[in-house]
Amino acid sequence: MAHNLKVYQAFDHEVIAEISTDDANALECKLNIAARAFADRDGWLPAHSRMAILRRVSELLSENRDRFAVMIAREGGKPLTDAINEVTRGIDGLINAADKLRHFGGSEIPMGLTAASMNRWAFTTKEPIGVVAAISAFNHPLNLIIHQIAPAVAVGCPVIIKPATTTPISCIEIVKLFWEAGLDKRWCQTFITEDSALAERLATDHRIAFMSFIGSAKVGWYLKSKLPPGTRCALEHGGAAPVIIDRSANIDAIVGTIVKGGYYHAGQVCVSVQRLYVHNDILSNFTDALAATVANLRVGDPTLKETEVGPLILPREADRVSSWIREATDAGAKQFGGGRLSETTLMPSVLLEPPVDAKVSRLEVFGPLTCVYGYGDVDEAIRIANSLPYAFQASVFTSDIAIALKAAQHLDAAAVLVNDHTAFRTDWMPFAGRRQSGYGVGGIPWTMEDMANNKMVVFNGVS
């Protein structure tokens, strides 16, 4: 049965909206609408129409930049400056999807290479894979939605998008812009529910051809195990991103970058800097510089322009991170900073040498915390960095090309960043987690490839 979903402001946990949810009947209706739209091949939108819609949505989003930024700051808790950047990325992402269509096609398959293949001409074309079910996360409530909707619209797949229940407003509003831009509602529908069983039904329905999931590894791998035969998927989970800091690194030059990568959106980023392996020769100086920089971060209401670190998404997440920090300090880790500003807002922390078996050393923290560990040999640092069952993005800071090359070759990660933090990405680059961190490749152009099928056509010249 449908009911109203209360949406809370992340910082002070006040109700900012009540949104009607969808029930099982609504899900069935939406699945049928999407499936019928896809089945009508004569009704598929031509590429030029899809490009025009994406470009128009980009224009509309640009006109509504400030409104969306405040929306992101309120429901998601992302500081306003970063929320503005998220909207800017979304604007560019829509253009990115439209531009990809200029080069999104098949290729010729050589014939005549054997006697049996003479007098034939073969080539491939791209077709949409089918109905897409997209389940999204709270931490980038606009840009993640765009990463799931824009590729589907670009390729020509009907998409049903389920946002996180903590941050549904940005999703609802961007879908409205798609409709305003001329996209028939059949091709892009929202599904709002707090019922995990209904979300599972959406993801695993036989009418779904592609399931896009952004969220926890536990849920993502479970849903993948339940997909019917033939359904493809992409999973984006998280990690505990390692950073190796060589003794040749310039501490003053890099500490600000590392702090940005570790405390951006209060650490609620799947590739947030978490584990810092620092050469013993510079360990003390680096830790002091890191702790001092973190202590100067401006923490508070994310709707204020001066705020650099805002709240966690829910009070229970602040409770969890606090308990993990307490476990580590009870076991001997030294803490710099810390404390609690509000029910959802933690003051940023640094932990020095937490035990290897502490939760902060083994699991994704997803909070305003980085952990520092000393090392003497880079091979040992790489071994420890690779020791967890997660592998997403990793970094090395060094002025020594040999160390940079060794780290790039030996770190187990889908991306190794040299002299940059692990949270760096652009929306047109491949973005993928290895092992438990994910499945498939994200990034708008790469998702478009995942959402398309190649069809080969062969002409026999003999009539």
Side-chain angles (χ1 to χ4, degrees):
M1 182 179 295
H3 66 280
N4 284 346
L5 167 68
K6 291 184 178 180
V7 182
Y8 296 89
Q9 188 160 268
F11 180 63
D12 56 16
H13 216 53
E14 290 188 2
V15 176
I16 55 175
E18 290 197 29
I19 296 168
S20 179
T21 60
D22 294 305
D23 58 15
N25 290 333
L27 174 59
E28 181 64 22
C29 179
K30 292 182 179 193
L31 284 165
N32 277 331
I33 286 170
R36 285 197 298 267
F38 183 73
D40 179 17
R41 289 189 169 231
D42 290 335
W44 286 4
L45 292 175
H48 70 86
S49 295
R50 288 177 264 136
M51 290 175 72
I53 288 168
L54 288 162
R55 290 187 181 280
R56 180 56 183 151
V57 178
S58 179
E59 293 169 358
L60 291 170
L61 184 55
S62 183
E63 293 168 8
N64 287 270
R65 185 193 311 258
D66 292 345
R67 179 171 71 89
F68 271 86
V70 172
M71 195 185 306
I72 291 166
R74 294 188 71 196
E75 68 173 343
K78 181 176 288 186
L80 186 60
T81 299
D82 295 325
I84 292 169
N85 289 337
E86 179 173 342
V87 182
T88 301
R89 283 179 60 185
I91 292 165
D92 184 69
L94 292 157
I95 296 171
N96 188 0
D99 286 348
K100 174 66 176 176
L101 286 173
R102 293 187 179 276
H103 312 285
F104 193 70
S107 60
E108 184 178 356
I109 308 299
M111 291 288 115
L113 305 181
T114 63
S117 64
M118 290 293 292
N119 300 316
R120 287 171 175 82
W121 178 37
F123 55 91
T124 61
T125 62
K126 296 282 191 184
E127 289 188 345
I129 191 172
V131 179
V132 171
I135 297 176
S136 205
F138 77 86
N139 54 331
H140 307 291
L142 174 67
N143 206 38
L144 292 180
I145 298 293
I146 287 173
H147 270 252
Q148 293 172 299
I149 291 178
V153 172
V155 173
C157 296
V159 58
I160 302 173
I161 179 86
K162 191 200 94 61
T165 54
T166 47
T167 55
I169 302 172
S170 296
C171 174
I172 291 168
E173 292 301 312
I174 191 65
V175 169
K176 287 179 180 177
L177 293 191
F178 273 93
W179 297 343
E180 184 180 341
L183 183 67
D184 190 299
K185 291 183 179 181
R186 297 175 301 164
W187 293 88
C188 186
Q189 303 176 85
T190 59
F191 183 64
I192 310 297
T193 185
E194 295 181 281
D195 188 332
S196 57
L198 280 183
E200 178 180 339
R201 193 182 304 179
L202 165 66
T204 60
D205 188 88
H206 67 92
R207 286 159 287 194
I208 298 299
F210 189 87
M211 190 268 288
S212 170
F213 176 84
I214 303 173
S216 76
K218 179 180 179 181
V219 175
W221 291 113
Y222 170 78
L223 290 176
K224 182 178 183 296
S225 74
K226 296 294 183 180
L227 295 179
T231 301
R232 293 191 210 160
C233 72
L235 311 177
E236 185 186 310
H237 302 144
V243 177
I244 294 175
I245 301 173
D246 178 46
R247 60 184 164 189
S248 67
N250 183 328
I251 294 173
D252 292 338
I254 69 173
V255 70
T257 298
I258 291 169
V259 168
K260 182 64 178 178
Y263 299 89
Y264 165 66
H265 198 9
Q268 297 171 115
V269 179
C270 58
V271 286
S272 180
V273 170
Q274 181 171 326
R275 297 177 292 148
L276 291 156
Y277 299 99
V278 184
H279 195 281
N280 288 328
D281 287 356
I282 62 169
L283 178 60
S284 178
N285 289 340
F286 174 82
T287 304
D288 288 345
L290 177 67
T293 305
V294 169
N296 286 325
L297 290 170
R298 296 184 294 272
V299 185
D301 185 341
T303 63
L304 302 177
K305 290 183 178 179
E306 63 269 21
T307 298
E308 295 173 292
V309 177
L312 298 184
I313 190 64
L314 290 168
R316 69 168 180 263
E317 291 301 305
D319 293 340
R320 175 187 58 80
V321 175
S322 296
S323 72
W324 287 14
I325 292 172
R326 188 163 53 251
E327 175 200 54
T329 55
D330 287 348
K334 182 177 180 181
Q335 182 178 7
F336 300 85
R340 196 158 183 166
L341 184 66
S342 75
E343 191 179 14
T344 55
T345 309
L346 299 180
M347 300 299 292
S349 296
V350 175
L351 290 180
L352 178 61
E353 300 289 4
V356 294
D357 60 349
K359 291 185 179 68
V360 296
S361 298
R362 295 184 295 106
L363 304 172
E364 182 179 34
V365 173
F366 230 57
L369 171 70
T370 57
C371 301
V372 180
Y373 313 82
Y375 76 87
D377 178 72
V378 71
D379 291 322
E380 179 67 4
I382 291 171
R383 185 192 68 78
I384 299 171
N386 290 342
S387 65
L388 299 183
Y390 318 106
F392 211 142
Q393 300 202 158
S395 293
V396 59
F397 286 84
T398 182
S399 297
D400 185 334
I401 188 65
I403 295 292
L405 288 172
K406 173 169 276 195
Q409 291 170 346
H410 292 279
L411 282 169
D412 186 6
V416 177
L417 297 105
V418 179
N419 294 330
D420 210 343
H421 62 70
T422 56
F424 172 80
R425 74 171 294 192
T426 68
D427 297 310
W428 59 88
M429 75 187 218
F431 190 69
R434 293 182 177 180
R435 294 192 279 163
Q436 291 187 23
S437 288
Y439 181 83
V441 181
I444 287 171
W446 307 82
T447 301
M448 287 173 64
E449 294 287 349
D450 272 354
M451 290 181 178
N453 279 324
N454 288 314
K455 173 183 279 186
M456 188 169 68
V457 180
V458 182
F459 279 85
N460 187 340
V462 178
S463 59

